[in-house]
């Protein structure tokens, strides 16, 4: 069998591009995935207690892009869900992103009111300010507030998560969770938010159901690609691995997930509780909040950040910081030399801290801008 495309990786980027090529162009596609399942890091499954869990940590779909939402809606209905996160600070829980409600939970009423008024006057309601930006303020009261948030919400969490201080990472990393001058406790404000009604894995199954798509699980593409005939490769694994590390290793961050089943209906108030200052884990997720599942027990996942080591654990996060971009740009130059023969797509192959919607977006874009024109 000769394939038009060999796609490495069955995550969002690989499955979306496979679906488009097979469904829209009738192209013959082989997806090769080294894990035993489709879905990449978004894979979910029913555990031994009958609870639907996300194997690689909590995945909440959100996007401002109607086109991406409509596209995925061809493969799933959605459970409306707005993510809420609390952080434990000195034994109290406060909403994150840190907002006006968090201020009132953290400080005495009169002082909180003063802070609120200063923020409203200086920035206005509904404005989001990255913590590293807020710390540059010359207003002494705001500076105290910024330092409080930095010390209690960001410093401990970030040094655990990345083994780096907030300012050692790209500004964009801590800006993902900006201080929010609002009473809106939702983690995201995107227009479209939800969880696939029957889970992510069901969505991926429908996406790859086309008879023009073959799937090979438990297979590293390097072990089989020389024996398979294909025209073009689309690679969604780590780009440095593809090029046998000729420019050195790119840094990634890994995680260890500890799942615990608890014999009560509910474990915690919100789906996610962050522990910036205590414990070795960063956050605990209770999946039933995300899925809406009813059951007499509940499963939670503790996330322990880990150094990435090949063959030991998985490269979950690119590390957005100065040195990594320099290494990546050398690999990007190699990738460009293969244009037309191999495309590099997704969070690991493009070395970008993509959310799910962005991974879907770059795959749709590759299809429309390049593949369809070949
Ligand atoms: P991946 O899902 O990583 O897929 C790549 C696939 O390639 C993998 O299945 C891998 O096994 C396979 N592969 C790699 N090398 C090889 C090889 N040599 N041979 C064969 N196969 C190979 N995004 C959100 O929008 N909302 C969230 O709430 C959210 N939460 C997250 C929580 C965590 C803990 C993590 C780590 C990520 C989260 N994300 C979230 C991001 C989301 O997981 C990614 O955007 C998305 O998975 C990227 O899809 P991808 O296809 O590019 O990569
Ligand atoms: N962050 C933090 N404290 C928090 C939440 C987030 O310091 O309570 C920082 C931390 O550096 C984290 C980054 O903001 O890695 C991005 O957070 P996000 O929740 O987007 O991380 P993800 O869900 O991608 O792991």
């Amino acid at each position: 069998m000769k394939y038009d495309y060999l796609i490495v990786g069955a995550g969002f980027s690989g499955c979306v591009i496979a679906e488009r090529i097979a469904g829209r162009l009738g192209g013959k596609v082989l997806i090769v995935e080294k894990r035993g399942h489709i879905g990449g890091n978004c894979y979910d499954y029913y555990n031994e207690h009958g609870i639907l869990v996300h194997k690689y940590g909590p995945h909440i779909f959100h996007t401002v892009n109607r086109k991406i939402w409509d596209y995925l809606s061809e493969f799933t209905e959605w459970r409306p869900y707005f993510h809420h996160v609390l952080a434990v600070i000195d034994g109290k829980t406060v909403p994150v992103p840190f907002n006006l409600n968090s201020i009132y939970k953290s400080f005495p009423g009169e002082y909180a009111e003063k802070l609120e008024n200063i923020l409203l006057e200086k920035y206005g309601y509904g404005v989001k300010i990255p913590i590293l930006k807020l710390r540059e303020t010359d207003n002494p009261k705001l500076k105290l507030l910024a330092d409080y948030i930095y010390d209690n919400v960001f410093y401990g969490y970030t040094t655990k998560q990345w083994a780096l201080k907030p300012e050692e990472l790209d500004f964009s990393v801590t800006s993902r969770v900006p201080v929010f001058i609002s009473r809106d406790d939702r983690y995201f404000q995107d227009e479209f938010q939800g969880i696939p009604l029957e889970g992510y894995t069901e969505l991926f199954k429908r996406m790859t159901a086309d008879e023009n798509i073959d799937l090979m699980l438990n297979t590293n593409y390097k072990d089989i690609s020389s024996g398979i005939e294909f025209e073009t490769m689309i690679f969604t694994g780590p780009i440095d691995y593809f090029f046998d590390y000729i420019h050195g290793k790119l840094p990634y961050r890994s995680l260890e997930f500890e799942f615990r089943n608890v014999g009560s209906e509910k474990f915690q108030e919100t789906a996610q509780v962050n522990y910036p200052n205590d414990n070795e884990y960063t956050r605990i997720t209770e999946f039933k909040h995300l899925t809406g599942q009813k059951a007499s027990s509940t499963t939670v996942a503790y996330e322990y950040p880990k150094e990435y080591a090949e063959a030991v654990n998985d490269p979950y996060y690119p590390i957005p910081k100065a040195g990594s971009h320099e290494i990546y740009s050398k690999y990007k130059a190699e990738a460009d030399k293969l244009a037309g023969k191999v495309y590099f797509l997704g969070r690991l192959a493009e070395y970008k801290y993509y959310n799910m919607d962005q991974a879907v977006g770059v795959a749709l874009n590759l299809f429309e801008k390049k593949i369809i024109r070949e």
Side-chain angles (χ1 to χ4, degrees), residues 224-293:
I224 54 105
S225 56
S226 58
I228 287 185
E229 272 194 275
F230 60 92
E231 288 287 328
T232 310
M233 182 188 285
I234 298 174
F235 182 74
T236 76
I239 189 167
D240 56 343
Y241 173 80
F242 181 93
F243 288 110
D244 298 323
Y245 307 111
I246 50 170
H247 297 301
K249 289 196 174 183
L250 277 163
Y252 300 94
R253 195 71 178 150
S254 192
L255 295 169
E256 194 178 297
F257 301 97
E258 186 197 341
F259 289 88
R260 291 191 201 169
N261 197 68
V262 181
S264 56
E265 268 189 51
K266 199 166 110 178
F267 178 80
Q268 61 189 23
E269 210 180 315
T270 50
Q272 186 180 322
V273 177
N274 290 358
Y275 292 85
N277 310 307
D278 319 301
N279 312 314
E280 280 175 39
Y281 47 85
T282 48
R283 57 188 180 189
I284 303 178
T285 301
E286 184 177 10
F287 296 98
K288 280 165 70 182
H289 289 278
L290 306 180
T291 58
Q293 191 180 353

Side-chain angles (χ1 to χ4, degrees), residues 3 27 85 101 117 120 129 161 175 210-211 237 278-279 303 340 363:
Y3 291 99
V85 176
N101 295 331
N117 288 335
L120 289 174
I129 309 152
Q161 170 72 10
S175 305
D210 195 299
E211 58 178 20
D278 319 301
N279 312 314
E303 277 178 55

